[in-house]
Amino acid sequence: MEPSIAAEELYPIAVLIDELKHEDVTLRLNAIRRLSTIALALGSERTRTELIPFLEDSLDDEDEVLTVLAEELGKFVPYVGGSEYANVLLIPLETFAGVEEPFVREKAVESLDKVCVEMSREQVEEHFMPLIKRLTSAEWFTNKVSVTALFPTVYEKVSDESKASLRQLYSQLVYDDAPMVRRAAATHLTLLIPHIERELIVSEIVPWFMFLAQDDQDSVRLLTIDILIAIAESLGAERAREQLFDQLKKLFADKSWRVRYMVADRFEALAVAVSAGDEVVLKEGFVPAMVKLLKDSEAEVRTVIAKQVPGFCQLVDAETVIQEIMPGIEELVDDQSQHVRAALATKISGLAPILGKEDTIKYLLPMFLQMLKDEFPEVRLNIICKLEQVNKVIGIDLLSQSLLPAITQLAQDKQWRVRLAIIEYIPLLASQLGVEFFDTQLRDLYMAWLRDSVYSIREAASENLRNLTKVFGVEWAQSTIMPKVIEAGENPNYLYRMTSIAAATTLAGEVTVDVIKNSIVPFLDGMVGDPIPNIRFTVARSYESVSLLARAKAAAEEERSAAESMISDIILPSLEKLKTDEDVDVRFYADKSLKAIG
């Protein structure tokens, strides 16, 4: 059924049409975003015969306006009468696909793709195929760049004869003189390959790959890595090696670091697609390539290959990893680039399950501990956040002697963002280190963060108390943390007293009603008479949170009774007192809490 619009909505249509012609760009943009309203009012026939031609005449406009218009037309199939008439949208979109501004072309191509999906095979053959031919044969490169993205969708909807024609047209784009066109052809060939028959890939697509892989522009060659993976996935690893492996070896050692970067970034995917687990291919072809990339002259290449190490090492045996790959990894531990070391730190722990306990202790642990002492904080943080993988293999005892100094150094780093990062990892560390290690080595350090000079640190430390309570339990929080929080409430600095209130309130979310009643509420009640107004209104706000939490937690009748008696006997009288406070903010929050508690 065709969309319709109520009669009372017709009046604004004239206004919208005027806005489409207005010199103010903002008004034109708003009008274009409401084109569907105009189309509904006009009906599908008048939309096809009047609105679309009107929009075609308005093509000489601001790029921002054309971008929005190109996007909107992709949604317009229902408004022109359905898929039967979808071809009327092709004319303006074809024009948009050839403009100079990339954003306009991008939206036009997306909309053309959507329209093509809506069209029948007959319509695609009759209307879309000629569009593809016109764009491919256009003189200006922008048309050719745009059309490369349309082939995968069109290819699925046409006859075998038209498919052959499409491959011939795509071949023109692959061999085009303009590097921009060849880049676009290489980019979208990856999406086209899965739709092409295997034998045709060998006879037609492989020659395209070989040509592009030897292009004089490195921006084209680097795109062939994904093409090679797509070909291998379609042909199968064995046939792909027969056709492509010699060229792949050349890409491994390409003179351009950008190409080597792409090889390194896709290294595991390449190994999986081309080797399919063949140990000989991996050891003779890929292992030497990885070793060479680990020693690449460009830090950017070493950075990305470092991230590929664990994934690739899973494909080969541990002995090969130790004898051939490990020396290159050891060099990265001392790499002159901090970004390389940081990238390795995120992944080096992944080698532990591959090596096993004995070899992890022998080969990996020395590197791990060395990186814990790295002068660059991000390296140490990346190691610590991946602690769990090593811990599972060798146990925490072997790590703790070097782990503690690294944590202490990070916790006291002069950059507050570094301190903030380590705070966020403390619950993870706590779950792995255990309560005894935390209480003896980290508790005082953690509580010191509640007195940090930076508010964000104090806030994060308060919030994380909830996570620590989840790890170690309510009894631990009551006996270990609450006394420290209460002690912090006596600090002469009012900012630290406010932090202690926030910490107590945060803990209320994880502890029992009994702990709230016997520890948290008495602590808050002791702060009601604080001389600083900010403390008093913070207490008023905390009373609301604590009361609602206590009621929500009270499941048994006894707990409900305890919660209500606590509220009525302690919290409400204190709030009534604060409601008469001399400070207006204190009175405001006290009144707000009273109303919320009810």
Side-chain angles (χ1 to χ4, degrees):
M1 183 177 178
E2 185 180 311
S4 60
I5 190 168
E8 59 270 17
E9 296 183 45
L10 289 176
Y11 171 72
I13 302 304
V15 177
L16 284 179
I17 293 175
D18 287 340
E19 289 179 353
L20 282 172
K21 306 175 184 178
H22 202 281
E23 61 182 20
D24 188 308
V25 173
T26 303
L27 287 176
R28 295 205 302 279
L29 282 171
N30 291 334
I32 288 172
R33 291 189 177 101
R34 292 181 288 168
L35 273 178
S36 58
T37 305
I38 299 176
L40 287 172
L42 293 175
S44 58
E45 183 176 354
R46 292 188 66 193
T47 296
R48 295 194 301 269
T49 59
E50 298 179 31
L51 181 59
I52 300 300
F54 168 76
L55 294 174
E56 292 173 28
D57 294 337
S58 306
L59 293 183
D60 185 16
D61 211 325
E62 299 281 345
D63 289 335
E64 186 179 4
V65 176
L66 294 181
T67 302
V68 176
L69 179 55
E71 183 177 13
E72 289 298 315
L73 288 178
K75 312 169 188 174
F76 241 62
V77 172
Y79 303 111
V80 297
S83 58
E84 181 182 354
Y85 300 99
N87 59 283
V88 302
L89 298 170
L90 300 184
I91 298 175
L93 288 172
E94 180 180 350
T95 305
F96 291 146
V99 302
E100 191 170 349
E101 172 54 47
F103 289 115
V104 179
R105 297 202 307 269
E106 180 183 331
K107 292 301 179 184
V109 169
E110 290 177 5
S111 292
L112 281 168
D113 220 35
K114 292 177 181 177
V115 173
C116 182
V117 170
E118 296 284 337
M119 298 172 75
S120 65
R121 169 171 290 193
E122 292 74 17
Q123 287 177 300
V124 173
E125 294 273 8
E126 182 180 354
H127 300 288
F128 222 100
M129 282 295 294
L131 178 148
I132 295 287
K133 293 175 182 177
R134 289 193 298 273
L135 290 174
T136 303
S137 304
E139 294 184 7
W140 196 238
F141 80 92
T142 54
N143 302 75
K144 299 177 183 179
V145 168
S146 295
V147 75
T148 58
L150 298 174
F151 278 79
T153 303
V154 177
Y155 198 88
E156 279 291 281
K157 304 200 72 169
V158 296
S159 64
D160 290 343
E161 183 180 351
S162 293
K163 287 180 179 179
S165 177
L166 285 173
R167 293 195 301 274
Q168 180 59 38
L169 291 169
Y170 207 92
S171 179
Q172 295 178 29
L173 299 168
V174 169
Y175 294 104
D176 195 272
D177 291 336
M180 298 81 76
V181 177
R182 299 199 300 275
R183 278 200 297 271
T187 299
H188 294 103
L189 182 55
T190 306
L191 302 175
L192 181 60
I193 287 171
H195 303 292
I196 298 177
E197 297 82 349
R198 294 180 66 181
E199 292 307 316
L200 292 173
I201 290 176
V202 175
S203 61
E204 298 186 30
I205 308 304
V206 169
W208 297 354
F209 164 79
M210 299 299 289
F211 175 79
L212 293 170
Q214 299 172 53
D215 198 282
D216 59 357
Q217 298 283 324
D218 62 357
S219 60
V220 176
R221 295 199 305 277
L222 65 85
L223 295 169
T224 60
I225 308 303
D226 286 332
I227 297 175
L228 192 154
I229 294 172
I231 291 175
E233 289 174 345
S234 293
L235 287 183
E238 186 174 351
R239 293 191 69 184
R241 290 197 297 274
E242 293 173 3
Q243 301 288 332
L244 308 172
F245 201 61
D246 288 342
Q247 186 58 48
L248 176 58
K249 290 179 180 178
K250 295 178 182 178
L251 291 171
F252 283 153
D254 195 277
K255 62 183 179 180
S256 169
W257 74 267
R258 297 174 66 195
V259 177
R260 300 197 305 276
Y261 178 98
M262 187 63 73
V263 169
D265 190 56
R266 305 286 198 275
F267 199 84
E268 182 185 351
L270 278 168
V272 171
V274 175
S275 74
D278 188 310
E279 292 185 8
V280 175
V281 174
L282 287 168
K283 290 183 179 181
E284 295 182 359
F286 284 92
V287 170
M290 167 156 276
V291 171
K292 190 172 182 179
L293 290 168
L294 287 169
K295 300 178 180 181
D296 196 273
S297 59
E298 295 293 332
E300 288 85 351
V301 177
R302 300 197 301 275
T303 298
V304 291
I305 196 63
K307 296 178 181 179
Q308 297 285 308
V309 165
F312 175 74
C313 288
Q314 289 179 343
L315 305 176
V316 297
D317 58 88
E319 184 178 353
T320 300
V321 173
I322 293 169
Q323 293 182 355
E324 301 189 40
I325 300 177
M326 194 62 73
I329 298 172
E330 290 175 348
E331 290 184 20
L332 294 189
V333 173
D334 293 316
D335 197 277
Q336 61 183 359
S337 169
Q338 63 189 31
H339 302 294
V340 174
R341 301 197 305 274
L344 180 64
T346 64
K347 296 295 182 178
I348 191 172
S349 299
L351 291 172
I354 299 171
L355 299 178
K357 183 174 182 179
E358 184 177 340
D359 287 331
T360 294
I361 295 171
K362 183 177 180 181
Y363 297 102
L364 189 60
L365 186 58
M367 291 188 285
F368 189 84
L369 297 179
Q370 183 176 342
M371 298 186 85
L372 278 173
K373 302 172 185 176
D374 195 284
E375 62 181 13
F376 188 46
E378 188 175 345
V379 176
R380 304 195 299 270
L381 285 172
N382 289 347
I383 284 289
I384 288 172
C385 76
K386 298 294 184 179
L387 176 67
E388 186 175 5
Q389 289 177 296
V390 175
N391 184 27
K392 287 179 179 178
V393 176
I394 66 174
I396 198 61
D397 292 340
L398 290 169
L399 291 175
S400 59
Q401 56 184 342
S402 293
L403 184 63
L404 184 60
I407 295 173
T408 303
Q409 190 174 4
L410 286 166
Q412 298 171 349
D413 195 278
K414 62 181 180 180
Q415 296 291 333
W416 69 268
R417 286 184 176 83
V418 175
R419 302 199 300 276
L420 181 62
I422 190 63
I423 286 174
E424 293 171 351
Y425 290 127
I426 285 293
L428 174 63
L429 287 169
S431 64
Q432 296 164 12
L433 298 170
V435 64
E436 182 179 351
F437 185 89
F438 183 88
D439 282 345
T440 58
Q441 305 292 344
L442 297 180
R443 185 184 63 189
D444 291 341
L445 182 65
Y446 192 88
M447 297 308 296
W449 281 323
L450 293 173
R451 300 187 300 275
D452 196 276
S453 59
V454 177
Y455 170 75
S456 296
I457 302 295
R458 300 195 302 271
E459 182 183 39
S462 298
E463 287 295 324
N464 254 352
L465 288 177
R466 179 190 291 115
N467 295 323
L468 286 171
T469 302
K470 288 179 180 179
V471 173
F472 294 143
V474 174
E475 290 185 8
W476 171 84
Q478 184 178 14
S479 62
T480 305
I481 294 298
M482 273 308 302
K484 294 291 184 180
V485 169
I486 293 171
E487 181 182 335
E490 300 173 358
N491 195 290
N493 189 320
Y494 85 95
L495 292 175
Y496 301 154
R497 299 202 298 278
M498 285 186 67
T499 301
S500 67
I501 296 171
T505 307
T506 300
L507 280 171
E510 291 299 325
V511 298
T512 62
V513 174
D514 185 61
V515 175
I516 293 174
K517 180 180 179 181
N518 296 322
S519 298
I520 294 177
V521 170
F523 165 66
L524 294 176
D525 197 53
M527 306 288 280
V528 169
D530 195 280
I532 304 298
N534 288 36
I535 298 292
R536 300 198 297 276
F537 76 60
T538 301
V539 170
R541 295 172 63 183
S542 295
Y543 271 145
E544 177 184 344
S545 300
V546 169
S547 298
L548 298 179
L549 283 169
R551 282 174 172 167
K553 289 173 177 292
E557 181 64 34
E558 184 178 344
E559 288 182 328
R560 287 195 293 271
S561 176
E564 291 303 328
S565 66
M566 172 189 71
I567 293 171
S568 60
D569 295 344
I570 303 174
I571 294 178
L572 292 180
S574 294
L575 284 173
E576 289 291 348
K577 179 181 178 181
L578 292 171
K579 190 177 177 182
T580 61
D581 195 275
E582 60 183 18
D583 186 89
V584 62
D585 292 326
V586 177
R587 296 197 300 272
F588 170 80
Y589 284 111
D591 185 61
K592 181 176 178 296
S593 294
L594 281 168
K595 290 177 180 177
I597 295 171

